[in-house]
Amino acid sequence: GSVLKLSCKPILLSTQFHKYYYLCIMKSDQLLRCIFPDVLVDYFDVVDIQESVSQVDFWLDERNFMEKSDHKLGTVSSYGFTSERVIQDFPLRGKAVYLHVRRRKWRDSSNGEIFTYSYDDLTAEGSRLSPEFVSFLKE
């Protein structure tokens, strides 16, 4: 799961009429989809967030999702992460945003190959991804 764990809690707003009104905080993935492109929310977990006066830093790790074909092979397993790459994203509330991203590495024990998955179909994202980030995901 991600760092953002939001839930619904009942809040008593009016005792005069003995009515309870329930306010619900957005689910974490809904909130993240307001901030990040879908590809990030679908394939990465936010593992840390740090905010300063001038910037917001998000640490993202690729989820442990194996492609169906690799799962069927039975020889592919997670093999840690690549080195962190820092990518400047679009500003958020007037602050610079930096994404500290680690891609998951995979190892095929049948041939010893170590690889990462590529995200080739990013055209649906349009301008919601910076060119630098698109390049990183296609590597």
Side-chain angles (χ1 to χ4, degrees):
S2 64
V3 165
L4 299 173
K5 298 287 186 192
L6 305 176
S7 61
C8 298
K9 294 185 178 184
I11 298 174
L12 180 60
L13 294 178
S14 171
T15 55
Q16 183 180 10
F17 299 106
H18 302 286
K19 292 182 180 179
Y20 290 90
Y21 296 96
Y22 294 90
L23 299 178
C24 191
I25 298 173
M26 294 173 85
K27 293 180 184 176
S28 61
D29 66 322
Q30 287 174 316
L31 177 61
L32 290 173
R33 285 182 197 284
C34 292
I35 299 170
F36 295 122
D38 289 342
V39 68
L40 283 181
V41 180
D42 292 341
Y43 295 104
F44 291 83
D45 286 322
V46 176
V47 295
D48 195 15
I49 302 170
Q50 293 182 8
E51 182 178 8
S52 70
V53 174
S54 61
Q55 73 185 50
V56 181
D57 291 88
F58 293 91
W59 278 262
L60 303 158
D61 284 348
E62 189 173 16
R63 291 186 179 162
N64 193 10
F65 291 150
M66 188 182 306
E67 287 188 2
K68 217 179 247 188
S69 59
D70 289 335
H71 183 70
K72 286 182 181 180
L73 283 175
T75 58
V76 176
S77 60
S78 180
Y79 196 68
F81 291 94
T82 61
S83 297
E84 175 185 290
R85 176 129 170 229
V86 180
I87 299 170
Q88 185 168 6
D89 200 28
F90 300 107
L92 183 63
R93 300 187 60 87
K95 295 184 180 188
V97 172
Y98 294 93
L99 307 176
H100 302 257
V101 187
R102 295 190 311 168
R103 302 281 305 276
R104 187 167 294 277
K105 293 191 294 187
W106 299 91
R107 181 175 183 274
D108 187 339
S109 61
S110 68
N111 59 17
E113 177 188 6
I114 297 171
F115 62 94
T116 60
Y117 290 129
S118 175
Y119 299 92
D120 292 326
D121 186 21
L122 297 173
T123 54
E125 291 298 331
S127 62
R128 293 194 62 206
L129 286 173
S130 67
E132 183 183 5
F133 200 69
V134 170
S135 172
F136 173 69
L137 291 175
K138 287 186 175 185
E139 287 178 356

